[in-house]
Amino acid sequence: MSNQTEETEEIKKDVTHSSSDGRKSENFKLNDTETETDDQEKMKSFDWTKYETHLNNEIQRKRKEFEKIYTKTLPYIQELEIYKGVVTHITEKNVIVDIGFKAEGVIPMSEFHKDNFNLEVGNHMEVMVVKIDYKGQCILSYQKAKTLRNWQRINEAYEKGEIILGYVVARTKGGLIVEIFEIECFLPGSHINVKPVRDYDVYVGKTMEVKVVKINQKTKNVVVSHKVLIERDIEEQRKEMISKLDKGQVLEGKIKNILPYGAFVDLGGVDALLHITDMSWPHISHPTEVVQLEQELKFVVLGVDKDKNRVQLGLKQLQPHPWSSLDKNLKVGSKVKGKVSVIADYGAFVEIIPGVEALLHISEMSWSSDLSSPQDFVQIGDELEAIILTIDRQERKMSLSVKQLTTDPWIDIQKKYPVGSKHVGVVRKFTNFGVFLELEKGISGIIYTNDLSWLKKIKHSSEFCNLNDKLEVIVLSSDPKTRRLNLGHKQLTENPWDKYGKIFHVGSIHNGVITNIFDKGATIRLYNKEKEQELEAFSPLRFLEKKDGNIVEKGEKTNFKILEFNKETKKIVVSHTSVYRDKDQKKEQRISRNRKLEKSTLGDIAGLAKLKEQIEKEKK
């Protein structure tokens, strides 16, 4: 600092010395007789810029060094940053604050009216540098610094998950406006309490603890919640209560909510699940058959998951098991009656007595082998009689059979339904490959789609008949081992294709009408000589051209020639074009033959004339 002071004093001396020299070079003559006023006027007209340019280089260098030293003593100030300052002067309109810069900053007095700030010289405060003008003067703001600091505090509270005390300013659509750090935040109505809140006005003007749950940095919107704090307290209480629960405990609770799969029970702060299967020993379709909302009952704890804070309750376990009241005389082979309570993919459950169910497997429902699902045999609520196949009282399991109440009808199937015999059956089920026909109870046969009709092209068996229709059939084959009967319907009549082969032989011409046209060709309905509808045929597109060059249109009647006939595949290919082309070819052939005949006749006449002349010459 001593060296800096010495250099400063030296620069000042040099400036004074140079000043006297400059006056001489500019011919300024100051006489003792001139007045002080004249001196001042001349000083004002003095050209300092010109004077500074005449300073010698050494003085310029020392001055620059002095400016660098001075600049280093000034702090680095940046716009829109917050700095600490001290109030140095207060006026009616402005407050002057020193932030350590080369110039003091100015804050409008209006910024302090809102907070009723008690301003005094010497007060310390945080301010924001709004702008530094070209003269180096700072324009400061107390409110902007305060707002930025509050925004930073809210973000910090959000990141750390802190609990903040907020003041409810007003209610708004869908919630409340809560002021935190002088920033208005939104508290949704669904986050006020764990229970639905109907009257928001009761919270206005009160303070409450909240937690920041969402911040939109772009729009500067803040969402807070009070419910999460309540849930946290409830969760802590829940964990503490669950830690004290054990399997087998009997507790009192209230039905809080009912769902199709069960009900939730309030155990006094802890929600537990009562599954529908644990409500009643007999099967029920809905929980409301046993419990109602707000109903208070006793429950037994079936399981406690302390890691996931889950509790499972039982209600039926407090009642004696129905198996204990089951008739002790029941055994394998005993006949029982029951009602179908549940249907599964593999069978049905039959309730023997309330709470005791036995399995009726699909394979034990009927001697018939065409059952694809249990619904083909039974429905829920059906009452039926069955025989006990197995019974285990310790495991509480029982299986039944219905088909074994009757004799197996497939034992003498070949005698009762020999191949070639005719019968009448009822349509029971359609499949992609045919139709199942019930000949009698327990015996069904299948008619494959291609055995339904000689003439119709059937894609699905439902196109030919309906459910519960009666059909006459003939037995084509039988297999007692696989319990299969192969039936036929078209075999009841002769194959008309044998007759059609003689009528619609290759080369024959018949009347027909086009029923459909598509990309590759057309389908034609052919008629015999009596103009009766007979068969459908196919014609490629190139064979539909008429003599005038047009194409035969849909619905148009005309003649067609048989090009191909296959009774095995029921395929007939016809052509209209071939009808008139063949006629033209025959006509040309006939004309050609006549021309040849005429040529040969004339030739014969000329030869005879020559022969006659020769004979006459020989006679002479």
Side-chain angles (χ1 to χ4, degrees):
M1 288 298 293
S2 59
N3 293 334
Q4 184 177 342
T5 305
E6 292 175 359
E7 290 177 359
T8 303
E9 293 296 331
E10 186 176 351
I11 290 172
K12 287 180 178 179
K13 291 178 181 178
D14 292 339
V15 171
T16 306
H17 182 267
S18 300
S19 175
S20 59
D21 294 342
R23 290 188 184 96
K24 292 177 182 179
S25 61
E26 290 295 328
N27 298 319
F28 282 102
K29 297 179 180 181
L30 301 177
N31 298 321
D32 295 338
T33 58
E34 292 178 335
T35 62
E36 185 177 351
T37 304
D38 295 334
D39 289 340
Q40 291 178 354
E41 290 296 330
K42 291 179 179 180
M43 288 294 290
K44 288 181 181 179
S45 61
F46 181 73
D47 189 353
W48 287 96
T49 304
K50 190 174 182 181
Y51 157 75
E52 288 180 354
T53 57
H54 288 76
L55 294 176
N56 58 55
N57 293 334
E58 183 63 23
I59 293 175
Q60 285 277 35
R61 183 183 64 78
K62 289 183 178 181
R63 181 173 180 174
K64 289 181 180 179
E65 290 178 357
F66 178 76
E67 288 177 352
K68 287 181 180 180
I69 295 170
Y70 175 71
T71 303
K72 289 180 181 179
T73 62
L74 298 175
Y76 177 70
I77 301 298
Q78 195 171 1
E79 292 181 354
L80 302 181
E81 292 290 337
I82 296 176
Y83 299 95
K84 291 183 179 180
V86 180
V87 178
T88 58
H89 188 65
I90 300 173
T91 66
E92 292 182 359
K93 295 183 177 181
N94 297 313
V95 177
I96 310 302
V97 180
D98 182 12
I99 59 172
F101 195 49
K102 61 182 179 180
E104 294 173 324
V106 179
I107 303 175
M109 179 62 76
S110 59
E111 288 199 14
F112 298 95
H113 294 332
K114 180 181 177 181
D115 298 337
N116 295 324
F117 198 87
N118 188 17
L119 277 173
E120 292 180 0
V121 175
N123 286 150
H124 291 268
M125 65 177 67
E126 285 188 331
V127 295
M128 177 185 284
V129 178
V130 179
K131 186 179 180 181
I132 303 175
D133 61 14
Y134 69 97
K135 295 180 180 179
Q137 185 177 1
C138 294
I139 299 174
L140 308 178
S141 175
Y142 165 75
Q143 288 295 339
K144 289 184 178 180
K146 184 180 178 182
T147 302
L148 181 58
R149 282 291 185 222
N150 289 337
W151 180 252
Q152 290 173 348
R153 290 177 67 188
I154 284 182
N155 279 272
E156 185 178 355
Y158 173 62
E159 292 173 359
K160 294 182 179 180
E162 295 178 354
I163 299 172
I164 313 169
L165 192 65
Y167 177 76
V168 181
V169 178
R171 68 162 295 172
T172 185
K173 184 179 179 181
L176 300 172
I177 300 298
V178 181
E179 191 176 83
I180 301 172
F181 304 140
E182 299 185 8
I183 294 177
E184 291 185 349
C185 308
F186 177 60
L187 173 59
S190 59
H191 279 263
I192 297 176
N193 204 330
V194 289
K195 297 180 180 179
V197 177
R198 295 181 180 178
D199 188 7
Y200 295 162
D201 292 326
V202 297
Y203 294 93
V204 177
K206 297 180 180 179
T207 57
M208 63 167 60
E209 289 184 335
V210 294
K211 189 176 181 181
V212 180
V213 293
K214 186 178 180 181
I215 295 179
N216 190 324
Q217 300 292 345
K218 291 183 178 179
T219 60
K220 301 297 181 183
N221 290 332
V222 182
V223 180
V224 296
S225 173
H226 178 66
K227 184 177 74 172
V228 294
L229 303 179
I230 300 175
E231 290 176 340
R232 183 195 62 181
D233 295 338
I234 293 174
E235 187 64 22
E236 290 177 357
Q237 295 174 7
R238 178 183 172 89
K239 288 182 180 179
E240 184 179 356
M241 292 183 66
I242 290 177
S243 64
K244 298 178 181 178
L245 295 178
D246 287 320
K247 186 177 180 180
Q249 280 184 304
V250 178
L251 304 171
E252 288 188 359
K254 182 185 290 186
I255 303 297
K256 182 180 179 180
N257 192 16
I258 296 178
L259 298 170
Y261 58 85
F264 284 97
V265 181
D266 184 4
L267 298 176
V270 175
D271 291 342
L273 175 63
L274 173 64
H275 199 269
I276 188 173
T277 56
D278 293 315
M279 290 182 176
S280 171
W281 291 115
H283 177 78
I284 59 174
S285 301
H286 197 272
T288 52
E289 297 178 27
V290 178
V291 297
Q292 302 297 325
L293 280 175
E294 302 298 324
Q295 186 178 7
E296 294 184 0
L297 296 168
K298 288 186 177 181
F299 307 91
V300 61
V301 178
L302 299 181
V304 180
D305 189 339
K306 296 182 179 180
D307 294 331
K308 297 181 179 180
N309 294 327
R310 294 178 181 175
V311 182
Q312 185 178 353
L313 301 178
L315 185 61
K316 70 180 185 181
Q317 288 79 4
L318 296 175
Q319 304 295 328
H321 201 286
W323 271 82
S324 59
S325 59
L326 186 65
D327 188 356
K328 294 182 180 180
N329 294 324
L330 291 179
K331 58 183 179 179
V332 174
S334 299
K335 293 181 181 180
V336 292
K337 292 183 179 180
K339 182 183 291 185
V340 177
S341 57
V342 178
I343 294 180
D345 294 336
Y346 50 87
F349 287 92
V350 181
E351 189 177 56
I352 308 302
I353 62 172
V356 176
E357 293 178 336
L359 173 63
L360 174 62
H361 198 270
I362 187 173
S363 61
E364 294 296 330
M365 289 182 177
S366 172
W367 291 110
S368 178
S369 59
D370 65 332
L371 294 180
S372 59
S373 67
Q375 285 90 342
D376 295 338
F377 187 79
V378 293
Q379 300 294 328
I380 291 179
D382 288 353
E383 294 184 358
L384 49 82
E385 186 179 20
I387 188 172
I388 297 177
L389 292 182
T390 61
I391 183 169
D392 188 338
R393 294 181 182 271
Q394 291 183 348
E395 295 292 330
R396 296 169 178 169
K397 292 181 179 180
M398 186 190 309
S399 62
L400 306 175
S401 174
V402 172
K403 72 178 186 181
Q404 294 190 23
L405 290 173
T406 58
T407 305
D408 187 356
W410 287 85
I411 294 175
D412 297 326
I413 192 70
Q414 290 179 334
K415 292 182 180 179
K416 195 171 184 179
Y417 296 96
V419 174
S421 60
K422 298 178 182 179
H423 308 274
V424 176
V426 180
V427 177
R428 293 302 186 194
K429 187 172 64 174
F430 295 117
T431 65
N432 292 330
F433 50 84
V435 56
F436 279 97
L437 208 70
E438 186 182 53
L439 299 177
E440 64 174 85
K441 192 172 183 179
I443 295 182
S444 297
I446 184 170
I447 310 175
Y448 289 102
T449 305
N450 57 0
D451 288 324
L452 289 171
S453 175
W454 290 113
L455 300 177
K456 293 183 179 180
K457 293 181 180 180
I458 302 170
K459 295 181 180 179
H460 195 270
S461 53
S462 60
E463 300 174 6
F464 185 80
C465 55
N466 299 316
L467 288 175
N468 300 320
D469 283 355
K470 289 184 178 181
L471 285 181
E472 187 179 3
V473 293
I474 185 172
V475 178
L476 301 180
S477 64
S478 63
D479 188 350
K481 293 182 179 180
T482 59
R483 297 176 180 267
R484 287 281 177 144
L485 276 178
N486 188 12
L487 309 175
H489 177 71
K490 71 180 184 180
Q491 288 81 0
L492 294 170
T493 58
E494 292 184 4
N495 188 353
W497 284 85
D498 295 334
K499 179 181 69 173
Y500 295 148
K502 297 176 181 179
I503 299 173
F504 298 95
H505 58 83
V506 175
S508 60
I509 298 174
H510 303 272
N511 290 329
V513 58
I514 293 182
T515 57
N516 190 21
I517 298 178
F518 42 93
D519 294 340
K520 294 183 179 180
T523 53
I524 295 96
R525 187 176 298 156
L526 295 177
Y527 296 85
N528 59 10
K529 293 181 179 179
E530 289 75 20
K531 296 184 178 180
E532 295 176 353
Q533 180 180 337
E534 291 290 349
L535 298 175
E536 279 193 352
F538 169 74
S539 174
L541 202 61
R542 66 180 185 276
F543 292 151
L544 295 176
E545 184 179 351
K546 294 191 289 186
K547 195 170 185 179
D548 57 3
N550 295 324
I551 301 296
V552 182
E553 297 179 354
K554 183 178 178 180
E556 186 175 351
K557 294 181 180 180
T558 186
N559 291 332
F560 293 90
K561 184 176 183 179
I562 307 296
L563 300 183
E564 181 184 346
F565 182 91
N566 190 328
K567 71 176 184 178
E568 300 298 330
T569 60
K570 299 182 178 65
K571 181 180 179 181
I572 303 175
V573 180
V574 298
S575 171
H576 170 71
T577 307
S578 300
V579 174
Y580 66 83
R581 281 185 180 175
D582 290 348
K583 287 182 179 179
D584 293 344
Q585 289 177 359
K586 287 180 180 180
K587 186 176 181 181
E588 290 177 359
Q589 290 174 359
R590 185 169 61 253
I591 294 171
S592 178
R593 285 197 300 270
N594 291 336
R595 287 176 179 174
K596 289 180 180 179
L597 182 61
E598 290 176 359
K599 289 181 180 180
S600 62
T601 303
L602 292 172
D604 291 343
I605 293 172
L608 289 173
K610 289 182 179 180
L611 181 62
K612 185 178 180 180
E613 290 178 359
Q614 186 178 356
I615 292 171
E616 289 178 352
K617 287 180 180 180
E618 289 177 355
K619 286 181 179 182
K620 290 178 180 181

